[in-house]
Amino acid sequence: MEMEIEEEEEQVPMEPPKIHRLDDSVVNRIAAGEVIQRPVSAVKELVENSLDACSSSINVVVKDGGLKLIQVSDDGHGIRYEDLPILCERHTTSKLSTFEDLQSIKSMGFRGEALASMTYVAHVTVTTITKGQLHGYRVSYKDGVMEHEPKACAAVKGTQIMVENLFYNMTARRKTLQNSADDYSKIVDVLSRFAIHHMNVSFSCRKHGAARADVNSVATISRIDAIRSVYGVSVARCLMKVEALDKDPSSSVFQMEGFISNSNYVAKKITMVLFINDRLVDCTALKRALEIVYAATLPKASKPFIYMAIILPPEHVDVNVHPTKREVSLLNQEIIIEKIQSVVESRLRSSNETQTFQEQAVKPTPSCQMVSSNDSNRNPSPSGSKLQKVPVHKMVRTDSSDPAGRLHVYLQPESCGHLERNTSLTAVRSSVRQRRNPKETADLTSLQELIDEIDRNCHSGLLDIVRHCTYIGMADDVFALLQHDTHLYLANVVNLSKELMYQQVLRRFAHFNAIQISEPAPVKELIVLALKEGNLDPECSENVELNEKIAEMNTELLKQKADMIEEYFCIHIDKDGNLSRLPVILDQYTPDMDRVPEFVLCLGNDVDWEEEKKCLQVISAALGNFYAMHPPMLPNPSGDGLQFYQKRKPSRNPEESLSRSTGDDVVTENEIEHELVAEAETAWAQREWSIQHVLFPSMRLFFKPPNSMATNGTFVRVASLEKLYRIFERC
């Protein structure tokens, strides 16, 4: 009976809660918590007020990370005596009068909330003097009103505001901000950003009681000097100037100038200082776009230092979109970001003319280690020490047991003293990359037609996937897993890389950097190798003679066309018929040199040299296939692939003569070609590194997927979050 009564009571509907008006003190304290989120928020608001007051010197003193004391002093125009009674009331400001004024606002502040918010969560004291006054005035505020009448006092030019016991009445907030060192470092960071932008203002920031300031900048006319004084010489010397300008009203109107770091700057995290119309803000979209550019162009310096100042018409900027004014909304933001991204990418590539790459000797000895072609300061390993592990991005396929089919046959090992001059064809990239003058663009109608075909044939849906996907990893030897929105895709990296390389060849036409082969390879012998690999019976004398004739004819043809292919594609074949230079299609990526013979044979045998458009298209496609990220020729040693590296010996049992005659040898138990396994593991690891850190970042920037990829299996959707949820619901 009691249970039935309880059930009846539970079924009685609850009365809806009554809506009532909050007390003003509660409303103001809630609002204050949004505007002043932590001590650095208060410092930023006060410094911006000082800048609005035309100050030439701003000094900040902080105690206990800003919780005990924040004192900001400036030499600005001060505050009128008659304005002091309403100074800390909410929505009182001298910056604007009507809502329309927001359309052309140039000052930092405009809401009239900052000082009012501070008085609701701290004790605020203001000391100020204006020009022409004999003395200043000091007054304290609490909950937006004066605690007493302004008192006359001695004062220096400008205004001093003290904020004491911040969040004294917000226990939970104060407990979360007990790490004073962390809050102080944030304050120093904000002051440093203001200091390098407002060069005509002197800034200082120090802890209370400290004799030395942590930020101490003086007014200067040079931006780079301002950066040097705040961030140090090591940062300033790695910077280069970047500028952008657009005056087209139909797309975007803006001006940008700044400094970005080069390849010599290495840091653990990105530093981006962004001012839009002199307002310190964050722009996640722009930051991400620039990170992508650096990841694709300078993978080893992918955490840059960036300072940018963007000027737009005031009516194109909505400053009233964030409680702390940390973010703004821009008209034509996507177009502006795209243009800035393009300018930065171009600047990085034009500055990336000299690089240092590690090289691998043909037959290194324990005392003859890898050296860097440009870095003579590396200390060689002591004699007899363990060989330095070859970097994954330089290891290529070698066959110590049968080198006849490999490019090493053309390389003569020399002593360690000559290693810097004699480097391996399989591993070297030129330390000095020659970039042609971009103004000397080849004016070829056929080239433009090929590029236009790429643009017209671009699949918009796949383009969105490529630009915004997340790389997960390799599913097998050919397919990579990508996530886009709520969908999971398999993407054929061989097809993708082949098409990307083809498009990049056309877009970089006649403006390539060079991979220098210090030991040139004879074109004729390369072609013979390619023909030999394609023959079923390579030892047949008739095939050998035919291959020699084909190789000789193709070599002569390529020597005749050498000037053209060097000018347009940076493929250098000297007068003796030796291949000594290849183009850089993607920075930080070197193709698999085992595929050089196939590529050279394609140049000599497949190109129609009479028709211009077809000629350029076939050469570009051949380069795309050569530079594509094919699986390495060595089988993947992971999983079942390890069986290919087990040592084999001829069978001695007469009963096994049949298997010996068919080429089946006895596998020696527990004996594996460990050196070959290590080489294969390195090659496969290097390929996956290149796919993740070179291919996909470059695709996000440059790739335009053709319509055919939507149907030829290059992209396959394997999962959808929405459909998975439906399955789970049915289960």
Side-chain angles (χ1 to χ4, degrees), residues 590-650:
T590 301
D592 184 355
M593 292 297 180
D594 277 345
R595 299 185 181 274
V596 170
E598 178 187 353
F599 166 66
V600 175
L601 176 61
C602 182
L603 280 185
N605 204 46
D606 298 345
V607 179
D608 182 354
W609 299 96
E610 302 301 324
E611 185 180 345
E612 181 182 280
K613 181 177 179 180
K614 196 169 183 180
C615 172
L616 300 181
Q617 186 177 32
V618 173
I619 295 177
S620 300
L623 280 167
N625 184 63
F626 171 33
Y627 280 70
M629 297 183 181
H630 298 277
M633 291 186 176
L634 284 173
N636 194 335
S638 61
D640 296 336
L642 191 60
Q643 63 181 332
F644 294 100
Y645 300 95
Q646 293 177 331
K647 291 184 178 179
R648 298 175 181 269
K649 64 179 180 180

Side-chain angles (χ1 to χ4, degrees), residues 437-454:
N437 187 349
K439 295 182 179 179
E440 299 175 358
T441 304
D443 185 16
L444 298 177
T445 305
S446 56
L447 173 67
Q448 191 58 47
E449 289 176 357
L450 291 171
I451 295 176
D452 291 341
E453 288 177 5
I454 294 173

Side-chain angles (χ1 to χ4, degrees), residues 27-45:
V27 174
N28 291 328
R29 193 173 297 179
I30 292 174
E34 291 181 347
V35 177
I36 309 300
Q37 297 176 352
R38 55 191 313 136
V40 68
S41 306
V43 172
K44 180 174 179 290
E45 295 285 355

Side-chain angles (χ1 to χ4, degrees), residues 235-300:
V235 174
R237 68 187 177 192
C238 295
L239 300 182
M240 51 190 177
K241 194 169 184 178
V242 61
E243 294 178 317
L245 179 65
D246 190 359
K247 296 182 179 180
D248 184 5
S250 63
S251 59
S252 61
V253 178
F254 76 96
Q255 179 181 353
M256 182 277 290
E257 65 175 25
F259 286 89
I260 58 176
S261 58
N262 57 25
S263 59
N264 297 321
Y265 178 83
V266 179
K268 294 182 179 180
K269 63 178 183 179
I270 183 174
T271 300
M272 182 165 181
V273 182
L274 176 63
F275 283 82
I276 297 180
N277 286 4
D278 294 327
R279 190 182 301 275
L280 178 61
V281 296
D282 293 333
C283 182
T284 305
L286 177 58
K287 183 178 180 181
R288 178 60 182 155
L290 297 180
E291 282 182 315
I292 291 174
V293 170
Y294 270 88
T297 310
L298 302 176
K300 293 184 179 180

Side-chain angles (χ1 to χ4, degrees), residues 46 51 63 67 83 215 227 267 276 335 479 505 509 511 526-527 657 659 666 730:
L46 294 175
L51 292 171
K63 185 176 182 180
L67 293 178
D83 292 337
V215 176
I227 295 175
I276 297 180
I335 298 175
F479 285 92
V505 171
F509 188 81
H511 298 99
L526 289 174
I527 296 175
S657 59
S659 65
V666 176
R730 288 198 296 268

Side-chain angles (χ1 to χ4, degrees), residues 39-234:
V40 68
S41 306
V43 172
K44 180 174 179 290
E45 295 285 355
L46 294 175
V47 170
E48 288 178 344
N49 284 345
S50 297
L51 292 171
D52 286 339
C54 303
S55 304
S56 61
S57 177
I58 301 175
N59 304 305
V60 179
V61 178
V62 177
K63 185 176 182 180
D64 288 351
L67 293 178
K68 285 289 184 67
L69 171 69
I70 296 173
Q71 178 180 294
V72 178
S73 307
D74 65 58
D75 61 351
H77 52 53
I79 303 169
R80 300 172 184 269
Y81 173 79
E82 52 270 24
D83 292 337
L84 290 175
I86 64 170
L87 174 66
C88 292
E89 290 184 8
R90 290 191 69 196
H91 308 308
T92 56
T93 179
S94 61
K95 314 300 173 54
L96 60 95
S97 300
T98 65
F99 181 78
E100 287 70 23
D101 292 340
L102 273 177
Q103 306 300 319
S104 58
I105 194 76
K106 293 184 178 180
S107 60
M108 309 291 175
F110 53 86
R111 293 198 192 107
E113 286 186 322
L115 281 176
S117 297
M118 293 178 206
T119 64
Y120 285 99
V121 294
H123 301 118
V124 177
T125 302
V126 178
T127 304
T128 186
I129 185 173
T130 58
K131 184 177 181 180
Q133 286 186 328
L134 298 177
H135 58 79
Y137 292 93
R138 179 176 293 127
V139 61
S140 299
Y141 295 87
K142 182 179 180 181
D143 294 341
V145 297
M146 293 191 303
E147 292 187 294
H148 54 78
E149 290 295 319
K151 297 179 181 179
C153 65
V156 295
K157 178 187 176 184
T159 302
Q160 180 189 86
I161 298 180
M162 288 195 302
V163 180
E164 299 174 284
N165 298 321
L166 187 61
F167 303 126
Y168 73 95
N169 54 357
M170 300 177 69
T171 308
R173 179 75 62 88
R174 194 174 180 88
K175 285 182 178 179
T176 62
L177 299 173
Q178 290 301 317
N179 190 349
S180 60
D182 182 51
D183 283 293
Y184 182 69
S185 65
K186 293 180 185 295
I187 293 172
V188 169
D189 180 62
V190 167
L191 265 295
S192 300
R193 293 167 184 258
F194 277 118
I196 66 173
H197 180 73
H198 296 278
M199 301 182 299
N200 58 331
V201 181
S202 300
F203 288 87
S204 74
C205 178
R206 62 182 176 86
K207 292 183 179 179
H208 183 264
R212 180 178 175 274
D214 293 287
V215 176
N216 189 16
S217 70
V218 296
T220 179
I221 59 173
S222 170
R223 184 82 61 195
I224 199 70
D225 287 343
I227 295 175
R228 184 182 295 110
S229 67
V230 175
Y231 288 95
V233 177
S234 60

